[in-house]
Each structure stands twice: as structure tokens, then as C-alpha cells.
Amino acid sequence: MKAKRKMNSRFAPYLFILPYFIGVLLFTAGPLVMSFIMSFFDWPVIGDPVFTGMGNYIELFTKDSQFYDSMAITFKFSAIFVPLTIVLSLALALLISRQLKGISLFRVVFYLPTVVSSVSISIIWGWILNKEYGILNYMLSLLGVSGPDWLNSRKWALVALIIVSGWTVGTMMLVFYTALKGISTEIYEAARIDGSGEFRTFFQITLPLISPTMQFNIVTSFISALQNLSLVMLLTKGGPMKSTYMYGLFVYNNAFQKSRLGYASASAWVMFVIILLLTSLIFKSSDRWVFNQVTSKEERR
Amino acid sequence: MRVSKATKIVTYLLCVVLSFYFLFPFIWMILTAVKSEGEIFTYPPKFFPDTWRFHNFIDAWNAQPFGRFTWNSVLVTVWTTAGQVVSASLAAYGFARYQFRGKKFLFSILLATMMLPWDVTMIPQYMEFNLLGWIDTLKPLIIPALFGSAYYIYLMRQFLESMPNDFAESAKIDGANEFQIYSRIYMPMMKPCIILVCVLNMITVWNDYLGPLVFTNTQSKYTLAVGLAAFKGVHSTDIIPIMCISILMCIPPVVAFFIEQKNIIEGISGGVKG
Amino acid sequence: MNKNLKKVLAVILIAVIALSLVACGSNGKTSKGKTKIRFATWDDAETLEFQQKMVDKFNAQSDTIEVIIESYGDNYDTKITASMGSKDAPDVMYMWNYPKYAEGLLPLDDLIKSEGTDYKANFYEALWNYNSINGVILGIPVGYTTHVVYYNKDLFDQTGIAYPSADWTWEDLRNAAEKLSNPAEKVYGIAFPIQPDPYDYEMFAWSNGGAYVDAQGNAAGVLDSDKTAAPFQFFQDMLKAGIAIGTDDYGSESFSTGKVGMFMNGAWSIDKLQKAGLNFGVQVLPRFDKSIPSASILSSSGVAISKTTANKEAAWEFVKFWTSEELNKERIGYELPVLKSVAGSEKLTSHEIYSKFYAMLDQSSQYMPASFISKDWSNLSDKINLALEKILNSDSFTNAQEALREAAK
């Protein structure tokens, strides 16, 4: 009886994760490996591929200045975007998790933009941000401010992109909100009885308890920031003067505009390695700040 | 929890200010949807149309077989959501509650699947689906998702990790097997998170248009998002129908959100008592 | 309450799954032994409705062929690239970017020959250039548009200046724009894209005797010549003078506000502007030199057949239908007819608006876009794109020749 249970629990974890990995083998592994193979070829959309060894990688690093430019822009965007959206979404989640009258209305308001399709997002914001005839600059002009050319100025285009991408922060807010709601009210009550102030409660109780969710949001928003494509494509097309020509667009254009699938794959794999390294850094560091019920218990033993 | 008057005022104030940012473009969408062609681009901006053309919604709906598209979208959404909940929660549970050999490595693979941009795996994927004869069906949109996505597994794992271990231990003593612990103890406790996954998956699948665009051919297989994108031609864009359909498309995810709100709160009070 | 909700959800779920199984089962039985032809189009939904009607007409006529329409809107390139890359291209495709897809398309010269000599001669000659690569015809013209100037009649009347004439020059345009402009009221003379597709802007160089590349496809010495640079410098000067504004689209959105005097575009805007109730007229593009007629790029559309199609004959049968006189007539309002016989019989060459597009077509027949000549257009166009932006963006306003010299390297 006891032996059976041990057997059971030795295989149990593998059985739990089995379905997912079957899916990986069937649908993800093939294309993943295939794109890796393609990165060593000169692979046009039409016609026969030619093996070039490390050719694509050498060209990327030594001949293509756009590669470095796009990389730099993407990191600049992520460096602003990730912290900003994390703070904003957490702030929103804290606001909407207060038990106040009418707060559920605001919950819907903050969530609403996430369900709007990106095609209409780009159309609406494109016109709002229009320099001459847009509503934003019109309203600014009523205040006596002359608004910038949001989408066509090197200085403002990235800001405009951040404003528009920030609009759909509701997903992250929802994740935080669910985590916040998962904290039992008893813990807060205890803190209140202890005389802990709002700020102290937040930093000493709330934040550690939602730290696994925090890690999730940081990692996923980081990945999506580095791969950002659709909004750039729809809103600025990489301009003005390539100032928003982010890495996602660089990869996409190589594949679909220039029909260089091999080169696009190589550049995607370079970014893959970078994301992998950065993510593992986040994971390494999170041993220090992510509060984990399972492991902390085991350590105590 | 009692809230002081000052925090109350600050909370409302912040909410109202932020609402402007989140709500204004949406209101502008609605106002655009009911305008006439001549009223969309005006200066100074015209906020309200002369006549509210609610008929625009009906015209937009009738411009393409949107009934069919809705059905396809519902199919894909329901199937994938069901698949995600089952497969993703299983995998998340496996990763969160056990220590096992190769765990770190396998979890890295899981994360890695999120890191390669879709544009370079798409063509190999197309080849694979073509080989399977799945092109121009809804299968490429549904079947891979039935095995669970990394994003949701990771999300659920994080939630599971912040849950206390005591329940499992007491259940083990009661003679429950591993699967029973998962299904009878953790699944109910995970309810808020599972609902969250449902809502997130719904938003994503509902609005995804590159997938259906690339893997389906004939109109009878299109989803709502593809139908919506079809209003945008190479040289001209039909702005009013785009706004109308986008607004209609928002309704189901918003309804789902209302259900979620109710359940998150219920789920949590239930979980604490249990 | 919660229990009820759960029950309702469960019922919906079961119903959806059950119904979907039924739906899956009934797939693939639509054809009645007919040859299926996949036909890919890029147009917006409004045009699509019309196209579907025409395809239905063909299907009703034909006992052996069934055409299935596939519409991809402005994501056309993504879809075609993916399906061609996976060797699963549609049988018949709308096409304009022949240089990019040439290797995947079936040469049509033999098929055209088999239709007799009059068949080919009835098309406007200039269009064949835009539907072939290296003299090999890869597509049959369906529609085209040249670019013209749209002007706001009300604004011209208010300012008290004459409407543009057929032989007007860019100097004339600038004078008109100056008079029209009133920045305090946000009224401007002209609007044009400042992040243009280089393909669309080569016509300005042509009109001034320049080009992007020479006949061999070399950019050096051509792209950075005075003649090519001058028009773009002229554009920059108008922007600097505050009589022109830069736009993200062709300019039709700004023009729709009624605050912009002129903009340049193909025939695509006619319908939209009429619906918006604007009082506008069109005129051929202005000249740089009084003695040289202006030229326009052609935005042409054709239908091509995939090289990998299994049903060449059926595909050709449909292509012939799609490019027939009957269809050219039906398409008026969506596309300008490409057949001389139709343009004549429908009196389009004397039509107040359409005639300008035919006039531009006549004036532009000897030009060939760089995209068809250059061996490495995708890279060159990338560089020209950046150069044009540098010239036209107020952030930089780089000297035109300097920017183009950089691109010609």
C-alpha cells in the first residue's frame, strides 16, 4: 500500500504535465526546429533554399546596422514600457479591489480597452493623435498648448506608442486583481489590529503575497514588449525615420516584405537567445523576492 | 476592511482621472460608429452626429456573413477555453506542487515556447497543417490549444505556488490519491484563477486575426476578427463598419467579465471557508 | 443563482460541442464534381460583396468549374507569402507586386496568343508593362488607377482662384496653395504623405525628367541627380512655408475635413469623398516644365495564375471571364476599365472625373517603375523610403539631394 503510493507520486508529476508536452511535440517542436534549420539557409518564399551555414548570422552581426538600431529601440521601449505598465496595472488593480460603492463600474472601464480589436485601436488612436486635426491636439490647443506631431516626430512617436499600448493594460490589471482578491481578509484584519498603516501593509503583506504574480507579469510583459509588432505595424510602420522600427517589425519585414525567411529566422533566434538569458536572470533574481509557499515551507523543514 | 474618508476621495479622484484615458477613445469609437461618412473627419472635431445613425450597425452586420463568423468564433473560443482549463491546469499543478527530476529543464522549455516570434514559426506551421490537411478548417485554431498554452500554465503555476500546502497533506492522510487532491481540493480553490484564464483566453482568441487569416481560406471558415479586418482594404478603409463591428464584438467579452467579477468574489470567500 | 448560471453555461457548452461535431461532419461535400478554383482578392468588404456576386454569376454559367473566393484585405501579402512559401498558393490571385511573386506565377504569353491578336491589343498598352517581368506576361490587367490632384472646389471659390487647368505647373500649384492657406484657421493648400511608399513617389521624379534607377537598374548617378531631387526639394519647401501639411495616409482624411485645398491620390478616394459630401474636382498632376506633360505611376491590378495550380485550363477560363468586357463594364465604380473598347463605349474618356485618369494614363505610358527594373528593389526601396522621410519630415528637413545621395550608395 505504501509502496504503491510512492510509485504513484513518483510518476504523478509527469502524468500531470504530459498532455502539455504531447502538444509541444506535435505542434510546437516541429516548427521551432524547422525555423532553426531555416536560419542556416538562404530561404526565399518561392524557389529553392540554399545552405549558407552561419551566413545569415554573420550578416546580422557585421553588415546590418538596422539589426543594432532595432535592437536598441526595442530595449529602450521595453525599459520604459515594462515598469510603467507594471506600476499602472498594479495601481489600477489596487484601486478596483477596494470595496467602495460604484467601483465595479470602474473595473469595467479599465478592462474595456483590452477587448477592442487592434485594427480599430490603431484607427481611433491614429486620428486622435493627428497633428493638425486630431482631438488630442485640439483639446491641448483649448488649453493654450500647441501639441506635437505625435506620430511623425522622432521625439514623440515612441511616447505615442507607449500611450497607445498602455491603453490595453487591463489584462495585466486583471491578473493582479485576481491575485489581490486571493489574499484572505483575515491577514489584513490581523495587520490592522497590529496597527500597521496602509503603506506598510502594502509593502510588507500585499506585495510579498502577490510576488509570484508580479514575476509572471514582469516576464510576460517583457516578452511581449520585446516582440511588439502589430501596433507598430498599424500605427507608425516603424517611422518616423525608423525611430520606432522595432525588432518585431525588423523580423516581420525580412520575412514578409523581403521574402528572406532564413534571415528572418536567424534574427528571431538571436532575439530568442536574448529573451531567454534575460528571463533566466529575472528567475534567478526572483529567488530573492518571490515569496513561494511551497519552497519556503520546504526550507523551513 | 474599513477605508478612511481621505483614501475614499483619493480613490475616486484617481479612478475618474484614469477613466478619461481609458474611456475617451472608446466613446469616440461609439460616436464614430453612428456618424455619417462626412462627419468622421471634421475640424474642429464634431463630437455628436447630427442624426444618430444606429442603422450603421445593421448595415455593417449585413455587409458580410457575420452570423457565420460569430458561430466560428464561438466554436474556437469555447473549445480552446475548455482545453486550456483542463490541460493548462494539469500542467500547472504538476509544476507547482511537485519536485521532480528535470523539472527546471522542462519548465524552461515551456517558457521558451513563448519566446520565439510567431512570424518565423508560422510558415513551418502552415506546412505542418497543410500536411495534415487541416488548412481551411478550424482545426489549426482549436486543436493545438487543447493541449494548453505556456502562458496560462505559467499563470496558474504562480497562483498555485502562493497557496498553502496544508490542504494537500491533510488530504493525503485521508487517503486521497494524487489526482483526487488535484481535482477535489485544488481545482475548487483555483476557481478565481481558472475564471481569469477563461476570460484572458476569450479576449485573445476572440480578437486574434492572424491565425484565422493564415490558416483558413474560404469565407465560411472566417472568424469575426477576420471579417472585421476585411473592411480594411489595401487602398481604402471602411471606418464606420469597422467601428460598428468592433463595438459589437466587445459585448461577449464584457459579459464574460461580469460573470468573472461575480465568481472571483464568490470563489474566494468559498475558498477561504473550505 | 450561481448554480443556475453553471447549468446554463454547461448546457451552452454541450450544445456548442454537439453542434460543432455536426458541422464538422458535413464539410467538403459542397462541390458537385466541379473543378474547384481558389481565387484570392485583397479588396475591402464593400468591393468584396460585388466580387462575390460576379463569381456567383460565373459559377452559375459554368458546368465544370466552381470558383471559391478568398478575401484577405490589407493582409493580402502576409497570407500569399505564407501559402506560397508552403506551396499551397491559391489558383488565381489578384496581383500588383509582380517583382516579388514572379517566380510563383505562371507565364501567360502562350495562353494570350491562343486568344488571337485583337485580344491583347484591346488592353491599354501601358498596363502590360505593369503586368509582366522581363517581357514575360504574368497577369491580365483588371483595373488600374493613375494619380491625380483632387481639389476642394468650395475652398477655391472662397479664395477666389481659378480651378487647376490641364497644363498647370507646380509653380501654379504652389501659388494656389499659398493663397488657400490660412494656418490660424488650420486651412492648408495641400496635403501629402511624408512617409510615402517610394513606389508612389517616383512619378514626381519622372515628371521632372528624373527617375530612381537607370535602364540597367543602377541607382547611383540617377537617384541622386538634380532632376530627381528637385521635386522633393520643392515639396520640402512647401512644407517649410507652411502651405502644405504632411499626412500618414494619402491625404484623404485631412482633405475630408474640408480644410485642405488639394491632395493627390488614385481613383480610390472618389467614392469616399462623394459619400462624405465634399464638393471636389480632379485634375491631372501639375508639370514641372511647361513643355513636358506630367507623368503618373500606375497602381494596377491584374489577375495571375499560380505556377503550382493543378487546373491550368480552368484557371485560365476564369481569368478570361474576370477580364472580359462584360466584367470591365460591371466594375465601373470600383475599378477603371482597362479595355479600350469599354472605355470608349462607356464614354469614360470624356467623363468629368474619369477622363483625367485616362489622360494621365496616356501621358505616362513610356515610364517603367524602378521596382520592375531594380534587381534589389526591396533594399533600395527601404533606403529611398528613409531618404524621402528625411527630406519631408520637419524633424530633419534634410537637403533632398544629400538625402538621396546617401540612399544611392
Side-chain angles (χ1 to χ4, degrees):
Chain A
M1 180 73 190
K2 227 176 190 174
K4 199 181 164 197
R5 164 152 318 143
K6 234 182 186 166
M7 273 286 282
N8 225 339
S9 59
R10 177 130 47 101
F11 290 112
Y14 297 105
L15 286 174
F16 277 113
I17 63 172
L18 188 66
Y20 172 71
F21 281 95
I22 290 175
V24 168
L25 279 178
L26 287 179
F27 300 110
T28 318
L32 219 67
V33 171
M34 184 72 184
S35 81
F36 189 62
I37 295 170
M38 281 166 116
S39 76
F40 297 101
F41 283 83
D42 188 354
W43 197 297
V45 170
I46 315 149
D48 296 322
V50 179
F51 182 75
T52 55
M54 295 300 286
N56 287 327
Y57 291 95
I58 293 167
E59 185 181 342
L60 261 183
F61 283 104
T62 58
K63 287 187 197 137
D64 198 339
S65 62
Q66 191 59 50
F67 165 73
Y68 293 102
D69 291 346
S70 291
M71 193 77 94
I73 296 161
T74 308
F75 277 106
K76 194 172 145 195
F77 174 81
S78 311
I80 305 169
F81 181 77
V82 176
L84 204 72
T85 48
I86 293 281
V87 170
L88 181 63
S89 59
L90 182 57
L92 289 173
L94 286 168
L95 281 179
I96 62 166
S97 61
R98 287 190 188 280
Q99 274 153 8
L100 290 176
K101 232 192 208 150
I103 208 82
S104 60
L105 186 75
F106 291 108
R107 262 176 231 158
V108 181
V109 168
F110 300 152
Y111 161 80
L112 207 49
T114 59
V115 302
V116 180
S117 91
S118 56
V119 180
S120 9
I121 291 180
S122 66
I123 291 174
I124 278 295
W125 277 99
W127 190 244
I128 289 176
L129 296 170
N130 184 292
K131 180 191 181 237
E132 296 294 337
Y133 304 118
I135 307 137
L136 183 57
N137 282 359
Y138 172 72
M139 290 199 229
L140 287 174
S141 77
L142 295 181
L143 300 172
V145 182
S146 133
D149 192 350
W150 294 98
L151 297 172
N152 286 308
S153 143
R154 269 183 289 203
K155 211 163 67 198
W156 290 100
L158 206 62
V159 178
L161 270 182
I162 288 167
I163 292 177
V164 180
S165 346
W167 197 54
T168 55
V169 80
T171 329
M172 272 161 76
M173 170 193 83
L174 219 54
V175 174
F176 274 133
Y177 171 69
T178 312
L180 286 172
K181 281 284 162 189
I183 301 170
S184 100
T185 42
E186 288 151 33
I187 299 177
Y188 284 123
E189 279 303 311
R192 211 175 53 86
I193 290 160
D194 281 353
S196 163
E198 283 229 22
F199 275 97
R200 241 187 78 196
T201 313
F202 173 71
F203 283 106
Q204 296 194 341
I205 297 172
T206 314
L207 217 47
L209 281 175
I210 62 163
S211 57
T213 313
M214 178 70 93
Q215 187 212 45
F216 171 82
N217 268 340
I218 292 176
V219 169
T220 53
S221 94
F222 204 62
I223 293 175
S224 69
L226 291 176
Q227 293 181 349
N228 190 341
L229 171 66
S230 64
L231 208 55
V232 185
M233 202 151 78
L234 289 166
L235 211 57
T236 64
K237 296 183 193 72
M241 288 164 277
K242 309 235 159 164
S243 60
T244 58
Y245 201 88
M246 285 200 241
Y247 204 80
L249 193 63
F250 172 71
V251 174
Y252 177 88
N253 278 347
N254 273 320
F256 291 91
Q257 298 302 315
K258 304 188 176 176
S259 304
R260 300 185 66 192
L261 297 180
Y263 194 63
S265 297
S267 52
W269 275 90
V270 171
M271 187 44 108
F272 174 84
V273 171
I274 291 171
I275 296 179
L276 198 69
L277 290 175
L278 287 171
T279 316
S280 59
L281 265 179
I282 297 175
F283 268 82
K284 276 258 156 63
S285 79
S286 50
D287 289 347
R288 264 183 240 152
W289 57 269
V290 172
F291 177 74
N292 183 326
Q293 295 269 7
V294 181
T295 46
S296 59
K297 206 156 226 169
E298 269 153 19
E299 273 157 24
R300 256 182 274 150
R301 268 183 212 155
Chain B
M1 208 188 342
R2 225 176 289 145
V3 186
S4 70
K5 205 168 182 190
T7 24
K8 233 183 206 171
I9 293 168
V10 172
T11 307
Y12 281 127
L13 213 66
L14 276 173
C15 280
V16 170
V17 170
L18 286 162
S19 294
F20 191 75
Y21 168 51
F22 287 103
L23 207 52
F24 180 75
F26 193 79
I27 292 174
W28 194 250
M29 263 179 76
I30 297 176
L31 290 174
T32 306
V34 294
K35 282 177 183 170
S36 70
E37 193 80 37
E39 291 170 320
I40 320 174
F41 302 114
T42 47
Y43 194 88
K46 192 172 183 177
F47 286 87
F48 301 105
D50 289 336
T51 44
W52 294 67
R53 295 162 185 264
F54 292 105
H55 208 270
N56 285 350
F57 283 95
I58 298 166
D59 292 343
W61 185 265
N62 290 333
Q64 290 181 70
F66 274 105
R68 177 84 220 180
F69 299 166
T70 309
W71 171 244
N72 290 339
S73 281
V74 168
L75 266 186
V76 175
T77 308
V78 169
W79 274 107
T80 54
T81 306
Q84 293 289 4
V85 167
V86 175
S87 302
S89 71
L90 280 172
Y93 184 80
F95 277 118
R97 308 305 307 181
Y98 294 96
Q99 295 301 330
F100 55 90
R101 199 196 267 247
K103 175 174 162 176
K104 270 205 166 147
F105 174 71
L106 289 170
F107 196 71
S108 310
I109 289 185
L110 178 126
L111 287 177
T113 59
M114 293 197 287
M115 296 173 193
L116 205 66
W118 194 69
D119 19 357
V120 296
T121 51
M122 182 185 82
I123 287 180
Q125 227 170 10
Y126 190 108
M127 293 173 184
E128 184 182 336
F129 291 138
N130 198 17
L131 215 67
L132 294 167
W134 288 3
I135 295 296
D136 205 21
T137 70
L138 296 177
K139 287 174 193 160
L141 310 175
I142 295 173
I143 295 177
L146 296 181
F147 296 89
S149 299
Y151 183 84
Y152 301 119
I153 295 173
Y154 181 24
L155 176 64
M156 288 207 252
R157 185 194 87 141
Q158 298 304 86
F159 270 85
L160 276 165
E161 284 195 342
S162 49
M163 278 179 185
N165 221 356
D166 318 347
F167 299 107
E169 273 155 27
S170 52
K172 249 180 206 170
I173 295 159
D174 289 351
N177 69 26
E178 303 291 334
F179 186 76
Q180 284 166 334
I181 296 171
Y182 153 81
S183 65
R184 298 219 185 121
I185 299 182
Y186 279 94
M187 277 299 261
M189 282 192 349
M190 286 287 287
K191 197 173 155 199
C193 183
I194 285 167
I195 293 164
L196 174 67
V197 167
C198 291
V199 169
L200 294 181
N201 183 59
M202 179 167 183
I203 304 173
T204 319
V205 173
W206 199 250
N207 282 324
D208 171 36
Y209 74 96
L210 275 176
L213 177 95
V214 170
F215 298 131
T216 65
N217 297 331
T218 39
Q219 215 182 20
S220 63
K221 306 293 184 323
Y222 290 174
T223 61
L224 280 169
V226 182
L228 177 75
F231 283 117
K232 200 172 180 220
V234 173
H235 298 298
S236 66
T237 305
D238 302 333
I239 292 177
I240 292 172
I242 289 185
M243 294 306 145
C244 292
I245 297 296
S246 308
I247 291 163
L248 294 178
M249 275 175 72
C250 289
I251 296 171
V254 169
V255 171
F257 180 67
F258 273 112
I259 297 173
E260 189 224 1
Q261 278 208 352
K262 240 176 93 51
N263 276 285
I264 282 185
I265 295 156
E266 282 171 8
I268 280 150
S269 44
V272 171
K273 275 174 216 144
Chain C
M1 174 67 197
N2 191 25
K3 284 268 159 61
N4 281 336
L5 192 72
K6 258 188 194 162
K7 264 184 206 159
V8 171
L9 283 176
V11 169
I12 293 175
L13 198 83
I14 291 165
V16 165
I17 290 172
L19 275 167
S20 68
L21 290 174
V22 174
C24 285
S26 65
N27 268 346
K29 284 178 195 161
T30 40
S31 77
K32 303 145 199 132
K34 283 180 163 188
T35 308
K36 272 192 193 174
I37 293 292
R38 292 172 54 202
F39 172 42
T41 82
W42 61 50
D43 275 301
D44 58 12
E46 198 185 332
T47 322
L48 180 67
E49 222 178 330
F50 163 77
Q51 287 180 334
Q52 185 65 56
K53 226 166 68 196
M54 293 300 113
V55 165
D56 289 345
K57 197 169 173 183
F58 176 83
N59 287 340
Q61 281 172 13
S62 173
D63 302 327
T64 51
I65 305 165
E66 191 191 356
V67 175
I68 300 153
I69 208 163
E70 304 178 359
S71 61
Y72 302 123
D74 75 329
N75 280 296
Y76 190 79
D77 274 322
T78 310
K79 172 71 191 194
I80 296 297
T81 304
S83 55
M84 268 198 186
S86 313
K87 308 208 176 354
D88 185 37
D91 301 293
V92 179
M93 287 166 272
Y94 258 86
M95 189 60 51
W96 70 274
N97 194 350
Y98 290 95
K100 185 176 171 189
Y101 299 111
E103 285 184 57
L105 304 177
L106 188 76
L108 301 177
D109 295 86
D110 292 340
L111 290 165
I112 291 169
K113 236 173 245 159
S114 66
E115 298 296 317
T117 44
D118 289 346
Y119 178 79
K120 194 179 167 187
N122 196 15
F123 289 87
Y124 283 94
E125 289 78 16
L127 295 168
W128 290 116
N129 285 343
Y130 284 82
N131 286 284
S132 17
I133 292 288
N134 300 329
V136 180
I137 295 175
L138 296 172
I140 306 294
V142 170
Y144 84 96
T145 179
T146 43
H147 292 238
V148 297
V149 175
Y150 290 73
Y151 57 93
N152 185 325
K153 285 183 175 171
D154 291 345
L155 276 182
F156 272 72
D157 291 344
Q158 278 165 32
T159 325
I161 45 178
Y163 297 152
S165 64
D167 61 346
W168 66 329
T169 63
W170 277 98
E171 249 354 286
D172 299 334
L173 183 144
R174 196 224 292 259
N175 288 334
E178 238 160 49
K179 291 200 183 98
L180 290 165
S181 293
N182 180 0
E185 291 287 311
K186 294 240 173 218
V187 176
Y188 299 97
I190 183 167
F192 47 79
I194 53 172
Q195 199 181 337
D197 182 344
Y199 178 88
D200 290 329
Y201 267 32
E202 195 177 10
M203 58 188 183
F204 301 120
W206 291 343
S207 297
N208 196 38
Y212 288 158
V213 295
D214 63 17
Q216 283 72 47
N218 302 311
V222 183
L223 181 60
D224 50 353
S225 65
D226 294 336
K227 285 192 162 148
T228 304
F232 302 120
Q233 190 61 47
F234 189 87
F235 278 33
Q236 187 193 90
D237 293 343
M238 284 199 290
L239 288 166
K240 273 184 182 161
I243 57 174
I245 51 166
T247 57
D248 303 317
D249 65 338
Y250 281 109
S252 63
E253 289 181 358
S254 300
F255 190 77
S256 298
T257 62
K259 300 260 178 183
V260 169
M262 297 170 274
F263 82 107
M264 295 166 282
N265 198 3
W268 308 301
S269 293
I270 297 174
D271 189 42
K272 280 258 144 66
L273 294 175
Q274 276 170 348
K275 267 195 204 154
L278 256 94
N279 183 18
F280 69 95
V282 301
Q283 187 51 279
V284 295
L285 294 175
R287 306 165 175 211
F288 282 95
D289 189 320
K290 199 91 189 163
S291 61
I292 310 172
S294 58
S296 166
I297 194 86
L298 258 72
S299 302
S300 89
S301 54
V303 278
I305 300 176
S306 165
K307 215 176 206 168
T308 54
T309 181
N311 304 297
K312 197 170 115 181
E313 282 74 27
W316 176 241
E317 206 53 45
F318 176 67
V319 166
K320 273 197 306 193
F321 168 80
W322 202 249
T323 55
S324 64
E325 282 195 356
E326 184 194 350
L327 268 275
N328 266 277
K329 270 182 206 163
E330 292 274 6
R331 257 192 300 269
I332 296 173
Y334 298 99
E335 290 266 24
L336 294 166
V338 291
L339 296 174
K340 292 172 192 164
S341 56
V342 175
S345 70
E346 302 294 310
K347 302 199 172 51
L348 296 177
T349 43
S350 51
H351 185 274
E352 186 198 349
I353 289 175
Y354 296 142
S355 63
K356 308 297 176 196
F357 294 93
Y358 285 95
M360 281 311 307
L361 181 64
D362 281 339
Q363 285 170 217
S364 315
S365 54
Q366 76 265 35
Y367 298 99
M368 193 72 192
S371 65
F372 285 81
I373 308 169
S374 169
K375 276 147 213 106
D376 190 16
W377 173 245
S378 62
N379 275 322
L380 183 63
S381 82
D382 229 21
K383 285 189 203 159
I384 299 175
N385 188 14
L386 185 62
L388 290 175
E389 258 196 89
K390 278 184 182 161
I391 298 168
L392 300 174
N393 192 307
S394 62
D395 256 9
S396 50
F397 276 155
T398 313
N399 175 283
Q401 202 154 13
E402 213 173 279
L404 290 168
R405 193 169 299 141
E406 187 69 29
K409 267 183 199 163

